[in-house]
Amino acid sequence: MTTPDAIVSVPSADSVSARADDNTGQPAGRAHTGRIRSIDGLRGVAVLTVMLLHFTLMRPSNLWEGGLVQLLDLGWIGVDLFFLVSGFLITGILWEARGTDGYFWRFYTRRTLRIFPLYYAFLFALLVVLPLLLSQYEAEHATNDRRIWLWTYLSNFLMARDGWEGMPSHTTHLWSLAVEEQFYLIWPLVVFLLSYRGLVGTCLAILGLSPLVRAALDHALPNGIAAYTLLPARLDSLALGALLALLVRTGPSTIDLRRGGVWLLGTGTVGLIGLSALGRLHGWGGLLPPLHYDVQVVGYSLIAVAFGGVLLLALTAAPGSRLDRLLATPFLQSLGKYSYALYLFHVPLRNIIRERVRDAGGLPRIGGSELPAQILLFVVAIGITWCLAVVSWHLFEKHWLRLKDQVPYGKAA
């Protein structure tokens, strides 16, 4: 997932077109003066939906609760929002840095300082320390070779091969970080080599080909996991974010961008509602089951389109508007700022809680419903994860981020 740095405030779409630096939205060499509240807010929404999905353990006792659980089950699309934001920010960074001294090594060094320290500290604790402390983890890691896939950011390939059950404990969510890291590896060269028109054409081609790639993968590996986790199958969200990053740099008016955002959001939403209604007629288990063939071939693209509209509307929201106020709430801003650690830490906590709830025979019922206990679980679990993320930020992450000041983007050659 894209991880936050300092990013400047964006009062209008016109100012967006002038900004892009290492997840900052700023041009190379310009001082960091703030944050893009809308981007942090969208990150907050993305990580919140994922956490709500993973912390949902209630068993519905009536039709209304069943519908609520199905709605929470849609939280998997939060990862697609992360992908879209990544494509938007990273492409902006790279496009603005083209022609500068040290284009490649500066980008990769800054990405490394942001992503690797916490990721590898997390893996070290999970794959080295825990097996030394707890016998069940020692037995799990004693005779398998799966850890190398995690150390090398190839966990999405491992998951495509072996499924969720084949992943080491507490690592089933790392596939999305592998997808983003692989994107970071190849995209700088693509941006460096292509002209504006060539890059736009490449993004459009990816948008058209991604559904075909997923269809081919689903025929080759019909469990659906390969089409869910492999980079070629998930490029359309990243490519649409990249396309929007290029678009805002061509100088369209704020009104035109808002109209485009409304059109994208409307088209994607109507398509998803229609797809879900069709699934109801065919007896799908859920509103948009992520491993279903139709959802993968058509739904992923519609999700990307809808979130593309959300991104444009967020970037062009008038100060003080409802959307601006929503994304600027301290709750979402804080979740967005610490979203990287929140995403890493919440799954091990979820697994621990799930084991305790299962051993207890389920969540306690109050008035015949598990909903009150579920709400309390959300508050406690998200609160604990947030506390861990804040500690991680202040004791660990921000000290690595300071080193990025030693590798600013160079001047134009």
Side-chain angles (χ1 to χ4, degrees):
M1 79 180 56
T2 300
T3 48
D5 294 311
I7 36 187
V8 298
S9 174
V10 177
S12 71
D14 304 311
S15 61
V16 175
S17 64
R19 298 165 179 160
D21 181 25
D22 208 359
N23 275 358
T24 66
Q26 292 177 283
R30 193 172 293 183
H32 295 187
T33 58
R35 307 184 72 88
I36 299 180
R37 295 190 307 178
S38 55
I39 295 296
D40 266 346
L42 290 178
R43 284 198 191 96
V45 170
V47 76
L48 178 62
T49 58
V50 172
M51 289 194 294
L52 289 175
L53 164 69
H54 287 156
F55 286 130
T56 298
L57 302 179
M58 67 178 288
R59 295 167 295 185
S61 58
N62 54 54
L63 187 62
W64 181 86
E65 289 181 2
L68 176 62
V69 169
Q70 288 194 356
L71 188 63
L72 291 169
D73 283 344
L74 288 177
W76 63 271
I77 69 176
V79 172
D80 293 78
L81 181 53
F82 275 125
F83 286 163
L84 185 95
V85 171
S86 291
F88 177 82
L89 290 174
I90 294 303
T91 303
I93 295 165
L94 294 169
W95 186 256
E96 296 291 343
R98 279 182 20 135
T100 61
D101 179 48
Y103 167 85
F104 287 103
W105 80 264
R106 293 179 190 277
F107 173 79
Y108 287 126
T109 299
R110 293 173 68 88
R111 287 290 82 208
T112 296
L113 289 171
R114 181 61 190 108
I115 296 171
F116 281 15
L118 185 61
Y119 179 80
Y120 283 114
F122 177 79
L123 284 187
F124 183 80
L126 209 61
L127 304 181
V128 178
V129 177
L130 275 185
L132 295 176
L133 300 177
L134 300 174
S135 58
Q136 66 264 36
Y137 295 108
E138 180 183 10
E140 177 185 359
H141 296 306
T143 59
N144 70 74
D145 62 348
R146 293 177 296 169
R147 289 173 294 179
I148 189 63
W149 298 84
L150 301 170
W151 292 113
T152 56
Y153 275 99
L154 295 173
S155 57
N156 56 334
F157 286 91
L158 176 63
M159 184 176 286
R161 187 191 74 177
D162 296 344
W164 272 273
E165 298 78 8
M167 297 294 291
S169 296
H170 312 309
T171 65
T172 53
H173 59 316
L174 299 184
W175 69 270
S176 66
L177 300 182
V179 167
E180 295 219 19
E181 190 61 28
Q182 292 156 21
F183 174 72
Y184 296 157
L185 186 64
I186 64 174
W187 200 243
L189 181 61
V190 174
V191 174
F192 181 79
L193 292 177
L194 297 180
S195 65
Y196 180 92
R197 180 175 295 181
L199 194 53
V200 168
T202 298
C203 292
L204 292 173
I206 290 171
L207 291 172
L209 291 175
S210 291
L212 301 179
V213 171
R214 290 192 289 269
L217 285 172
D218 273 334
H219 283 293
L221 300 168
N223 63 5
I225 298 178
Y228 184 69
T229 63
L230 296 182
L231 174 64
R234 303 310 301 269
L235 269 175
D236 39 1
S237 290
L238 291 158
L240 182 56
L243 186 62
L244 295 179
L246 297 171
L247 175 65
V248 300
R249 285 164 172 78
T250 62
S253 68
T254 299
I255 293 177
D256 287 339
L257 288 177
R258 286 177 184 165
R259 287 173 178 169
V262 170
W263 185 87
L264 288 174
L265 177 58
T267 300
T269 301
V270 170
L272 289 170
I273 292 173
L275 182 63
S276 182
L278 182 64
R280 284 294 194 189
L281 295 176
H282 290 83
W284 287 1
L287 296 176
L288 290 171
L291 302 186
H292 191 280
Y293 178 82
D294 294 338
V295 175
Q296 293 194 328
V297 174
V298 179
Y300 290 5
S301 295
L302 290 173
I303 291 167
V305 168
F307 280 149
V310 171
L311 176 62
L312 285 182
L313 291 174
L315 290 172
T316 60
S321 65
R322 290 181 180 178
L323 180 58
D324 179 67
R325 292 198 307 269
L326 173 64
L327 294 177
T329 57
F331 178 64
L332 287 181
Q333 288 292 299
S334 182
L335 292 181
K337 178 178 179 180
Y338 304 121
S339 58
Y340 185 32
L342 287 168
Y343 187 80
L344 276 175
F345 297 159
H346 84 278
V347 166
L349 179 62
R350 183 276 310 265
N351 293 340
I352 294 170
I353 293 174
R354 178 181 288 177
E355 291 177 5
R356 301 296 183 271
V357 170
R358 182 186 60 201
D359 293 343
L363 291 173
R365 291 182 177 271
I366 301 175
S369 173
E370 294 182 359
L371 182 58
Q374 178 63 75
I375 294 173
L376 180 61
L377 174 59
F378 283 149
V379 173
V380 172
I382 293 174
I384 292 174
T385 311
W386 181 84
C387 289
L388 293 173
V390 171
V391 171
S392 168
W393 175 268
H394 288 285
L395 296 185
F396 188 74
E397 295 174 72
K398 73 178 184 180
H399 302 292
W400 289 95
L401 290 178
R402 287 172 181 162
L403 297 177
K404 292 171 64 176
D405 293 336
Q406 306 302 315
V407 282
Y409 285 108
K411 297 180 180 179

mmCIF file of all heavy atoms in Angstrom, residues 193-233:
data_model
loop_
_atom_site.group_PDB
_atom_site.id
_atom_site.type_symbol
_atom_site.label_atom_id
_atom_site.label_comp_id
_atom_site.label_asym_id
_atom_site.label_seq_id
_atom_site.Cartn_x
_atom_site.Cartn_y
_atom_site.Cartn_z
ATOM 1 N N LEU A 193 10.960 5.767 -19.941
ATOM 2 C CA LEU A 193 11.140 5.470 -21.357
ATOM 3 C C LEU A 193 10.070 6.078 -22.247
ATOM 4 O O LEU A 193 10.319 6.350 -23.427
ATOM 5 C CB LEU A 193 11.169 3.951 -21.581
ATOM 6 C CG LEU A 193 12.383 3.201 -21.023
ATOM 7 C CD1 LEU A 193 12.233 1.699 -21.260
ATOM 8 C CD2 LEU A 193 13.673 3.708 -21.654
ATOM 9 N N LEU A 194 8.874 6.288 -21.721
ATOM 10 C CA LEU A 194 7.747 6.661 -22.573
ATOM 11 C C LEU A 194 7.476 8.156 -22.540
ATOM 12 O O LEU A 194 7.690 8.836 -21.529
ATOM 13 C CB LEU A 194 6.484 5.907 -22.139
ATOM 14 C CG LEU A 194 6.531 4.383 -22.265
ATOM 15 C CD1 LEU A 194 5.206 3.781 -21.793
ATOM 16 C CD2 LEU A 194 6.813 3.955 -23.709
ATOM 17 N N SER A 195 6.955 8.650 -23.633
ATOM 18 C CA SER A 195 6.466 10.023 -23.692
ATOM 19 C C SER A 195 5.127 10.105 -22.966
ATOM 20 O O SER A 195 4.552 9.085 -22.559
ATOM 21 C CB SER A 195 6.280 10.452 -25.146
ATOM 22 O OG SER A 195 5.255 9.665 -25.753
ATOM 23 N N TYR A 196 4.623 11.325 -22.838
ATOM 24 C CA TYR A 196 3.316 11.491 -22.204
ATOM 25 C C TYR A 196 2.257 10.671 -22.939
ATOM 26 O O TYR A 196 1.489 9.930 -22.324
ATOM 27 C CB TYR A 196 2.935 12.971 -22.188
ATOM 28 C CG TYR A 196 1.602 13.254 -21.544
ATOM 29 C CD1 TYR A 196 1.519 13.555 -20.187
ATOM 30 C CD2 TYR A 196 0.422 13.222 -22.288
ATOM 31 C CE1 TYR A 196 0.293 13.814 -19.580
ATOM 32 C CE2 TYR A 196 -0.805 13.479 -21.688
ATOM 33 C CZ TYR A 196 -0.862 13.767 -20.338
ATOM 34 O OH TYR A 196 -2.075 14.009 -19.749
ATOM 35 N N ARG A 197 2.231 10.814 -24.255
ATOM 36 C CA ARG A 197 1.230 10.082 -25.037
ATOM 37 C C ARG A 197 1.435 8.581 -24.923
ATOM 38 O O ARG A 197 0.466 7.822 -24.796
ATOM 39 C CB ARG A 197 1.303 10.514 -26.497
ATOM 40 C CG ARG A 197 0.290 9.815 -27.399
ATOM 41 C CD ARG A 197 0.313 10.366 -28.807
ATOM 42 N NE ARG A 197 -0.115 11.764 -28.828
ATOM 43 C CZ ARG A 197 -0.208 12.486 -29.951
ATOM 44 N NH1 ARG A 197 0.117 11.929 -31.121
ATOM 45 N NH2 ARG A 197 -0.603 13.735 -29.887
ATOM 46 N N GLY A 198 2.691 8.151 -24.938
ATOM 47 C CA GLY A 198 2.965 6.720 -24.812
ATOM 48 C C GLY A 198 2.553 6.175 -23.462
ATOM 49 O O GLY A 198 2.039 5.057 -23.345
ATOM 50 N N LEU A 199 2.755 6.972 -22.420
ATOM 51 C CA LEU A 199 2.387 6.521 -21.077
ATOM 52 C C LEU A 199 0.872 6.472 -20.918
ATOM 53 O O LEU A 199 0.334 5.528 -20.327
ATOM 54 C CB LEU A 199 3.003 7.465 -20.039
ATOM 55 C CG LEU A 199 3.004 6.993 -18.589
ATOM 56 C CD1 LEU A 199 3.631 5.612 -18.449
ATOM 57 C CD2 LEU A 199 3.748 7.990 -17.711
ATOM 58 N N VAL A 200 0.175 7.460 -21.466
ATOM 59 C CA VAL A 200 -1.288 7.428 -21.439
ATOM 60 C C VAL A 200 -1.799 6.203 -22.187
ATOM 61 O O VAL A 200 -2.699 5.489 -21.716
ATOM 62 C CB VAL A 200 -1.863 8.718 -22.045
ATOM 63 C CG1 VAL A 200 -3.368 8.577 -22.297
ATOM 64 C CG2 VAL A 200 -1.598 9.909 -21.126
ATOM 65 N N GLY A 201 -1.219 5.941 -23.355
ATOM 66 C CA GLY A 201 -1.629 4.771 -24.122
ATOM 67 C C GLY A 201 -1.372 3.471 -23.386
ATOM 68 O O GLY A 201 -2.179 2.533 -23.439
ATOM 69 N N THR A 202 -0.247 3.419 -22.673
ATOM 70 C CA THR A 202 0.072 2.220 -21.889
ATOM 71 C C THR A 202 -0.939 2.012 -20.778
ATOM 72 O O THR A 202 -1.407 0.889 -20.539
ATOM 73 C CB THR A 202 1.483 2.337 -21.296
ATOM 74 O OG1 THR A 202 2.434 2.426 -22.368
ATOM 75 C CG2 THR A 202 1.812 1.129 -20.430
ATOM 76 N N CYS A 203 -1.302 3.076 -20.094
ATOM 77 C CA CYS A 203 -2.309 2.974 -19.025
ATOM 78 C C CYS A 203 -3.646 2.495 -19.581
ATOM 79 O O CYS A 203 -4.310 1.630 -18.980
ATOM 80 C CB CYS A 203 -2.478 4.316 -18.327
ATOM 81 S SG CYS A 203 -1.039 4.850 -17.367
ATOM 82 N N LEU A 204 -4.049 3.050 -20.724
ATOM 83 C CA LEU A 204 -5.308 2.632 -21.333
ATOM 84 C C LEU A 204 -5.254 1.173 -21.767
ATOM 85 O O LEU A 204 -6.233 0.424 -21.612
ATOM 86 C CB LEU A 204 -5.639 3.535 -22.524
ATOM 87 C CG LEU A 204 -5.978 4.983 -22.189
ATOM 88 C CD1 LEU A 204 -6.127 5.812 -23.464
ATOM 89 C CD2 LEU A 204 -7.254 5.064 -21.363
ATOM 90 N N ALA A 205 -4.112 0.757 -22.290
ATOM 91 C CA ALA A 205 -3.967 -0.645 -22.699
ATOM 92 C C ALA A 205 -4.064 -1.575 -21.498
ATOM 93 O O ALA A 205 -4.692 -2.643 -21.565
ATOM 94 C CB ALA A 205 -2.634 -0.842 -23.423
ATOM 95 N N ILE A 206 -3.453 -1.177 -20.392
ATOM 96 C CA ILE A 206 -3.524 -1.991 -19.174
ATOM 97 C C ILE A 206 -4.973 -2.112 -18.697
ATOM 98 O O ILE A 206 -5.426 -3.193 -18.310
ATOM 99 C CB ILE A 206 -2.640 -1.389 -18.071
ATOM 100 C CG1 ILE A 206 -1.159 -1.554 -18.440
ATOM 101 C CG2 ILE A 206 -2.929 -2.043 -16.719
ATOM 102 C CD1 ILE A 206 -0.216 -0.810 -17.510
ATOM 103 N N LEU A 207 -5.698 -0.994 -18.750
ATOM 104 C CA LEU A 207 -7.097 -1.017 -18.329
ATOM 105 C C LEU A 207 -7.911 -1.979 -19.183
ATOM 106 O O LEU A 207 -8.811 -2.667 -18.688
ATOM 107 C CB LEU A 207 -7.695 0.384 -18.407
ATOM 108 C CG LEU A 207 -7.169 1.398 -17.387
ATOM 109 C CD1 LEU A 207 -7.692 2.797 -17.696
ATOM 110 C CD2 LEU A 207 -7.584 0.994 -15.983
ATOM 111 N N GLY A 208 -7.599 -2.041 -20.466
ATOM 112 C CA GLY A 208 -8.328 -2.942 -21.344
ATOM 113 C C GLY A 208 -7.911 -4.394 -21.217
ATOM 114 O O GLY A 208 -8.747 -5.302 -21.358
ATOM 115 N N LEU A 209 -6.632 -4.623 -20.932
ATOM 116 C CA LEU A 209 -6.110 -5.998 -20.922
ATOM 117 C C LEU A 209 -6.261 -6.685 -19.567
ATOM 118 O O LEU A 209 -6.291 -7.922 -19.512
ATOM 119 C CB LEU A 209 -4.631 -5.987 -21.324
ATOM 120 C CG LEU A 209 -4.333 -5.631 -22.777
ATOM 121 C CD1 LEU A 209 -2.820 -5.528 -23.000
ATOM 122 C CD2 LEU A 209 -4.928 -6.673 -23.732
ATOM 123 N N SER A 210 -6.327 -5.935 -18.486
ATOM 124 C CA SER A 210 -6.372 -6.554 -17.156
ATOM 125 C C SER A 210 -7.527 -7.540 -16.992
ATOM 126 O O SER A 210 -7.339 -8.637 -16.451
ATOM 127 C CB SER A 210 -6.430 -5.478 -16.069
ATOM 128 O OG SER A 210 -5.207 -4.772 -15.994
ATOM 129 N N PRO A 211 -8.753 -7.218 -17.446
ATOM 130 C CA PRO A 211 -9.817 -8.224 -17.338
ATOM 131 C C PRO A 211 -9.514 -9.497 -18.113
ATOM 132 O O PRO A 211 -9.861 -10.598 -17.661
ATOM 133 C CB PRO A 211 -11.040 -7.499 -17.916
ATOM 134 C CG PRO A 211 -10.747 -6.051 -17.744
ATOM 135 C CD PRO A 211 -9.261 -5.930 -17.939
ATOM 136 N N LEU A 212 -8.864 -9.355 -19.262
ATOM 137 C CA LEU A 212 -8.511 -10.542 -20.051
ATOM 138 C C LEU A 212 -7.458 -11.378 -19.330
ATOM 139 O O LEU A 212 -7.500 -12.616 -19.366
ATOM 140 C CB LEU A 212 -8.004 -10.121 -21.436
ATOM 141 C CG LEU A 212 -8.975 -9.300 -22.287
ATOM 142 C CD1 LEU A 212 -8.335 -8.937 -23.616
ATOM 143 C CD2 LEU A 212 -10.266 -10.075 -22.513
ATOM 144 N N VAL A 213 -6.516 -10.705 -18.680
ATOM 145 C CA VAL A 213 -5.507 -11.426 -17.904
ATOM 146 C C VAL A 213 -6.166 -12.206 -16.780
ATOM 147 O O VAL A 213 -5.842 -13.374 -16.528
ATOM 148 C CB VAL A 213 -4.456 -10.442 -17.345
ATOM 149 C CG1 VAL A 213 -3.527 -11.143 -16.359
ATOM 150 C CG2 VAL A 213 -3.653 -9.812 -18.480
ATOM 151 N N ARG A 214 -7.099 -11.574 -16.080
ATOM 152 C CA ARG A 214 -7.785 -12.271 -14.992
ATOM 153 C C ARG A 214 -8.602 -13.442 -15.507
ATOM 154 O O ARG A 214 -8.648 -14.512 -14.878
ATOM 155 C CB ARG A 214 -8.661 -11.289 -14.224
ATOM 156 C CG ARG A 214 -7.865 -10.279 -13.412
ATOM 157 C CD ARG A 214 -8.748 -9.518 -12.452
ATOM 158 N NE ARG A 214 -9.644 -8.578 -13.113
ATOM 159 C CZ ARG A 214 -9.353 -7.304 -13.348
ATOM 160 N NH1 ARG A 214 -8.168 -6.820 -13.000
ATOM 161 N NH2 ARG A 214 -10.243 -6.508 -13.926
ATOM 162 N N ALA A 215 -9.256 -13.255 -16.649
ATOM 163 C CA ALA A 215 -10.023 -14.364 -17.220
ATOM 164 C C ALA A 215 -9.108 -15.529 -17.565
ATOM 165 O O ALA A 215 -9.430 -16.690 -17.294
ATOM 166 C CB ALA A 215 -10.778 -13.888 -18.464
ATOM 167 N N ALA A 216 -7.950 -15.225 -18.153
ATOM 168 C CA ALA A 216 -7.001 -16.292 -18.501
ATOM 169 C C ALA A 216 -6.482 -16.997 -17.256
ATOM 170 O O ALA A 216 -6.373 -18.236 -17.218
ATOM 171 C CB ALA A 216 -5.839 -15.707 -19.308
ATOM 172 N N LEU A 217 -6.153 -16.235 -16.210
ATOM 173 C CA LEU A 217 -5.670 -16.838 -14.972
ATOM 174 C C LEU A 217 -6.749 -17.693 -14.318
ATOM 175 O O LEU A 217 -6.458 -18.755 -13.753
ATOM 176 C CB LEU A 217 -5.207 -15.754 -14.005
ATOM 177 C CG LEU A 217 -3.861 -15.097 -14.319
ATOM 178 C CD1 LEU A 217 -3.621 -13.906 -13.394
ATOM 179 C CD2 LEU A 217 -2.726 -16.108 -14.178
ATOM 180 N N ASP A 218 -7.999 -17.249 -14.390
ATOM 181 C CA ASP A 218 -9.080 -18.024 -13.787
ATOM 182 C C ASP A 218 -9.306 -19.339 -14.522
ATOM 183 O O ASP A 218 -9.727 -20.322 -13.914
ATOM 184 C CB ASP A 218 -10.370 -17.201 -13.765
ATOM 185 C CG ASP A 218 -10.476 -16.341 -12.519
ATOM 186 O OD1 ASP A 218 -9.869 -16.709 -11.500
ATOM 187 O OD2 ASP A 218 -11.145 -15.295 -12.562
ATOM 188 N N HIS A 219 -9.041 -19.345 -15.812
ATOM 189 C CA HIS A 219 -9.159 -20.604 -16.551
ATOM 190 C C HIS A 219 -7.971 -21.526 -16.252
ATOM 191 O O HIS A 219 -8.127 -22.747 -16.174
ATOM 192 C CB HIS A 219 -9.252 -20.332 -18.049
ATOM 193 C CG HIS A 219 -10.593 -19.848 -18.485
ATOM 194 N ND1 HIS A 219 -11.732 -20.633 -18.447
ATOM 195 C CD2 HIS A 219 -11.000 -18.644 -18.958
ATOM 196 C CE1 HIS A 219 -12.770 -19.946 -18.889
ATOM 197 N NE2 HIS A 219 -12.350 -18.724 -19.202
ATOM 198 N N ALA A 220 -6.790 -20.924 -16.069
ATOM 199 C CA ALA A 220 -5.606 -21.740 -15.780
ATOM 200 C C ALA A 220 -5.588 -22.220 -14.338
ATOM 201 O O ALA A 220 -5.207 -23.364 -14.055
ATOM 202 C CB ALA A 220 -4.346 -20.938 -16.090
ATOM 203 N N LEU A 221 -5.978 -21.341 -13.410
ATOM 204 C CA LEU A 221 -5.994 -21.650 -11.975
ATOM 205 C C LEU A 221 -7.361 -21.261 -11.428
ATOM 206 O O LEU A 221 -7.552 -20.161 -10.901
ATOM 207 C CB LEU A 221 -4.879 -20.880 -11.254
ATOM 208 C CG LEU A 221 -3.452 -21.181 -11.721
ATOM 209 C CD1 LEU A 221 -2.487 -20.162 -11.158
ATOM 210 C CD2 LEU A 221 -3.045 -22.581 -11.298
ATOM 211 N N PRO A 222 -8.349 -22.142 -11.541
ATOM 212 C CA PRO A 222 -9.743 -21.762 -11.288
ATOM 213 C C PRO A 222 -10.113 -21.486 -9.840
ATOM 214 O O PRO A 222 -11.262 -21.185 -9.560
ATOM 215 C CB PRO A 222 -10.521 -22.978 -11.828
ATOM 216 C CG PRO A 222 -9.558 -24.105 -11.818
ATOM 217 C CD PRO A 222 -8.216 -23.512 -12.065
ATOM 218 N N ASN A 223 -9.149 -21.574 -8.904
ATOM 219 C CA ASN A 223 -9.504 -21.223 -7.527
ATOM 220 C C ASN A 223 -9.673 -19.720 -7.332
ATOM 221 O O ASN A 223 -10.135 -19.269 -6.285
ATOM 222 C CB ASN A 223 -8.465 -21.770 -6.538
ATOM 223 C CG ASN A 223 -7.081 -21.168 -6.734
ATOM 224 O OD1 ASN A 223 -6.880 -20.263 -7.544
ATOM 225 N ND2 ASN A 223 -6.116 -21.673 -6.004
ATOM 226 N N GLY A 224 -9.264 -18.916 -8.307
ATOM 227 C CA GLY A 224 -9.465 -17.476 -8.257
ATOM 228 C C GLY A 224 -8.396 -16.706 -7.510
ATOM 229 O O GLY A 224 -8.365 -15.479 -7.584
ATOM 230 N N ILE A 225 -7.507 -17.373 -6.807
ATOM 231 C CA ILE A 225 -6.542 -16.659 -5.972
ATOM 232 C C ILE A 225 -5.458 -16.000 -6.821
ATOM 233 O O ILE A 225 -4.999 -14.905 -6.510
ATOM 234 C CB ILE A 225 -5.938 -17.611 -4.922
ATOM 235 C CG1 ILE A 225 -7.050 -18.118 -4.005
ATOM 236 C CG2 ILE A 225 -4.863 -16.909 -4.104
ATOM 237 C CD1 ILE A 225 -6.586 -19.093 -2.953
ATOM 238 N N ALA A 226 -5.045 -16.651 -7.909
ATOM 239 C CA ALA A 226 -4.023 -16.057 -8.768
ATOM 240 C C ALA A 226 -4.508 -14.735 -9.361
ATOM 241 O O ALA A 226 -3.772 -13.747 -9.401
ATOM 242 C CB ALA A 226 -3.630 -17.029 -9.877
ATOM 243 N N ALA A 227 -5.757 -14.709 -9.818
ATOM 244 C CA ALA A 227 -6.310 -13.481 -10.389
ATOM 245 C C ALA A 227 -6.544 -12.422 -9.328
ATOM 246 O O ALA A 227 -6.723 -11.244 -9.648
ATOM 247 C CB ALA A 227 -7.621 -13.791 -11.116
ATOM 248 N N TYR A 228 -6.532 -12.818 -8.062
ATOM 249 C CA TYR A 228 -6.722 -11.882 -6.959
ATOM 250 C C TYR A 228 -5.404 -11.279 -6.482
ATOM 251 O O TYR A 228 -5.376 -10.141 -6.012
ATOM 252 C CB TYR A 228 -7.412 -12.601 -5.800
ATOM 253 C CG TYR A 228 -7.766 -11.732 -4.620
ATOM 254 C CD1 TYR A 228 -8.765 -10.762 -4.718
ATOM 255 C CD2 TYR A 228 -7.122 -11.874 -3.397
ATOM 256 C CE1 TYR A 228 -9.098 -9.958 -3.644
ATOM 257 C CE2 TYR A 228 -7.451 -11.082 -2.309
ATOM 258 C CZ TYR A 228 -8.445 -10.126 -2.439
ATOM 259 O OH TYR A 228 -8.774 -9.337 -1.364
ATOM 260 N N THR A 229 -4.304 -12.008 -6.623
ATOM 261 C CA THR A 229 -3.063 -11.606 -5.956
ATOM 262 C C THR A 229 -1.907 -11.247 -6.883
ATOM 263 O O THR A 229 -0.937 -10.639 -6.412
ATOM 264 C CB THR A 229 -2.570 -12.731 -5.030
ATOM 265 O OG1 THR A 229 -2.258 -13.894 -5.802
ATOM 266 C CG2 THR A 229 -3.622 -13.087 -3.996
ATOM 267 N N LEU A 230 -1.927 -11.619 -8.145
ATOM 268 C CA LEU A 230 -0.768 -11.394 -9.002
ATOM 269 C C LEU A 230 -0.824 -10.008 -9.652
ATOM 270 O O LEU A 230 -1.891 -9.531 -10.056
ATOM 271 C CB LEU A 230 -0.674 -12.474 -10.080
ATOM 272 C CG LEU A 230 -0.439 -13.895 -9.567
ATOM 273 C CD1 LEU A 230 -0.314 -14.877 -10.730
ATOM 274 C CD2 LEU A 230 0.804 -13.967 -8.678
ATOM 275 N N LEU A 231 0.324 -9.373 -9.766
ATOM 276 C CA LEU A 231 0.406 -8.001 -10.277
ATOM 277 C C LEU A 231 -0.255 -7.821 -11.635
ATOM 278 O O LEU A 231 -1.019 -6.863 -11.806
ATOM 279 C CB LEU A 231 1.871 -7.554 -10.331
ATOM 280 C CG LEU A 231 2.129 -6.185 -10.977
ATOM 281 C CD1 LEU A 231 1.469 -5.069 -10.167
ATOM 282 C CD2 LEU A 231 3.617 -5.930 -11.128
ATOM 283 N N PRO A 232 0.000 -8.670 -12.656
ATOM 284 C CA PRO A 232 -0.629 -8.419 -13.964
ATOM 285 C C PRO A 232 -2.149 -8.394 -13.903
ATOM 286 O O PRO A 232 -2.790 -7.719 -14.716
ATOM 287 C CB PRO A 232 -0.126 -9.603 -14.817
ATOM 288 C CG PRO A 232 1.133 -10.040 -14.160
ATOM 289 C CD PRO A 232 0.916 -9.831 -12.690
ATOM 290 N N ALA A 233 -2.721 -9.108 -12.920
ATOM 291 C CA ALA A 233 -4.176 -9.138 -12.796
ATOM 292 C C ALA A 233 -4.724 -7.951 -12.024
ATOM 293 O O ALA A 233 -5.925 -7.663 -12.104
ATOM 294 C CB ALA A 233 -4.610 -10.440 -12.116
#
